Amino acid sequence: MITFVVPIHEWSHQAKVCFDRLHKQLESNEIVVVADQCELPDIPAKVVHTSTRLYAAGSRNLGAKHATHDVIVFVDSDILVPNNFVKHCEDNYNKDQSSIYCFPMGTEVTDAYTAGFKGMLELYSTHHLYDKPRDTIQQLQGYCCVITKNLLEKTGHWVETRTMELEEYATNIHNVNVDIVLENTMIVQHYNNRGLDLFKNAFDRACVWTRKKLQGRVQWDGKHKHKKNAVACLFSLLLWPSLIDPLAFISWLVIHKIIHYDWLLFLFRQNNLLRYFSYAIIHVMYLNCIALGAITGWLTNKIKFSKL
């Protein structure tokens, strides 16, 4: 028997579609919905209301406290699970498991180009980069993962911070010698009709992650968050001065293509030509935001500790 914990901060059409997809597979299992400072319609689930805004990590912790069963699957309210998802969980996970299991993200259910780009990036970084059906990973994919009550206790529960809580919790998980395993044969999807926050979120997360990395609270994951990717983000900023001279721009473009060859080839194979060029442009803007966020985080950390 399994408890599915679903944190919700806003009831929407997308949340309803995702909830219904999960609920229709439920059978004798349980859903605990954590309503984080929001109103919900009458739904067939155990509903827990937060007294203050808890955000994703806090809502997950609260939902776990109300879980009846020892196996807990955390599913974000905008995650669309496949039709055989619950059966897969019943067949593969139990209260005595020693690892935490995560699921890769497929393409986004969206019409927005920026959200579509984000879906491509997540498909690439959480699925395409891993070859094995099951692969041990550094990063915790918290939007959909399986954790038992014992493992939740052992790893210290979700880290209740507003940004980068997954990276900080992943560090705690590895510190107590618990593996995070990617279930690379079971892909979930993000149901998103918005995407304009892509650049702001990239800046904010890079800023916070850099500060935490300098403080030793998060680590490189060896894949998406890799040292060479950090250098590539900084290199992307050279686009703008290169526009002054055509030869400089062509040189920048060639180096950029070489650095990101595998990713750009993946984009090309997955999309038509128009969407590929659109995503390639969005990619440069995305890298710029990460670079600027990282620089801001480095400066903020340097100023903070210079005052101590």
Side-chain angles (χ1 to χ4, degrees):
M1 302 288 285
I2 299 172
T3 295
F4 294 85
V5 173
V6 182
I8 295 180
H9 71 274
E10 178 185 8
W11 185 256
S12 62
H13 170 71
Q14 287 74 24
K16 181 181 185 306
V17 171
C18 294
F19 175 85
D20 290 346
R21 174 72 68 85
L22 178 62
H23 180 263
K24 75 177 184 179
Q25 307 175 37
L26 195 62
E27 297 185 350
S28 57
N29 297 292
E30 173 188 54
I31 296 181
V32 174
V33 172
V34 180
D36 191 17
Q37 298 293 282
C38 67
E39 295 296 326
L40 300 181
D42 186 18
I43 56 176
K46 181 191 293 185
V47 178
V48 180
H49 291 273
T50 62
S51 57
T52 59
R53 176 71 77 182
L54 295 183
Y55 300 103
S59 296
R60 292 176 188 133
N61 283 333
L62 180 60
K65 291 179 182 178
H66 290 268
T68 302
H69 308 301
D70 289 318
V71 179
I72 303 174
V73 181
F74 294 96
V75 185
D76 283 359
S77 61
D78 55 0
I79 293 298
L80 197 61
V81 299
N83 288 320
N84 60 337
F85 182 74
V86 173
K87 181 67 164 55
H88 168 87
C89 293
E90 290 176 324
D91 291 344
N92 290 277
Y93 312 120
N94 60 75
K95 66 179 183 179
D96 297 318
Q97 68 189 47
S98 58
S99 300
I100 294 171
Y101 292 87
C102 301
F103 302 92
M105 185 80 80
T107 56
E108 301 231 354
V109 182
T110 180
D111 293 325
Y113 270 70
T114 47
F117 166 82
K118 180 172 174 285
M120 283 287 113
L121 187 62
E122 289 176 337
L123 176 63
Y124 181 76
S125 62
T126 68
H127 173 62
H128 181 76
L129 287 178
Y130 299 91
D131 299 324
K132 301 176 183 178
R134 277 188 172 179
D135 210 337
T136 302
I137 59 176
Q138 293 298 311
Q139 179 59 50
L140 176 65
Q141 312 299 353
Y143 50 77
C144 191
C145 60
V146 186
I147 308 178
T148 66
K149 286 186 176 181
N150 286 337
L151 286 174
L152 200 61
E153 194 70 31
K154 181 178 181 179
T155 56
H157 298 84
W158 295 87
V159 178
E160 297 187 22
T161 55
R162 180 68 184 94
T163 307
M164 308 304 289
E165 73 283 353
L166 300 181
E167 287 79 358
E168 198 161 346
Y169 185 30
T171 299
N172 294 345
I173 291 169
H174 294 301
N175 285 342
V176 294
N177 298 315
V178 172
D179 286 336
I180 302 173
V181 178
L182 183 72
E183 287 281 24
N184 216 15
T185 58
M186 179 66 55
I187 299 177
V188 301
Q189 288 182 283
H190 189 198
Y191 193 164
N192 186 3
N193 66 341
R194 296 173 296 181
L196 295 180
D197 287 339
L198 172 72
F199 304 112
K200 178 181 181 299
N201 290 341
F203 177 92
D204 290 343
R205 292 177 69 83
C207 179
V208 174
W209 191 89
T210 301
R211 286 161 52 194
K212 290 186 176 183
K213 180 67 179 73
L214 292 171
Q215 297 164 19
R217 295 162 62 186
V218 296
Q219 301 299 328
W220 303 106
D221 65 13
K223 295 287 185 179
H224 186 46
K225 292 181 177 63
H226 192 280
K227 291 180 181 179
K228 67 178 182 181
N229 290 337
V231 174
C233 290
L234 293 173
F235 177 77
S236 73
L237 294 175
L238 295 179
L239 164 66
W240 306 107
S242 77
L243 295 177
I244 298 173
D245 179 71
L247 184 59
F249 171 70
I250 292 173
S251 299
W252 177 90
L253 188 61
V254 170
I255 297 172
H256 174 78
K257 294 285 187 182
I258 293 172
I259 293 173
H260 300 284
Y261 176 79
D262 291 338
W263 158 245
L264 292 173
L265 181 62
F266 171 81
L267 276 184
F268 182 77
R269 289 175 172 173
Q270 294 285 327
N271 300 278
N272 61 41
L273 198 58
L274 175 60
R275 192 164 283 265
Y276 165 74
F277 279 116
S278 299
Y279 287 166
I281 293 170
I282 292 171
H283 178 229
V284 176
M285 303 299 102
Y286 181 76
L287 293 175
N288 280 188
C289 291
I290 293 174
L292 293 172
I295 292 170
T296 302
W298 176 78
L299 287 172
T300 303
N301 190 76
K302 190 174 181 64
I303 293 170
K304 177 181 176 181
F305 284 95
S306 66
K307 292 180 178 179
L308 296 180

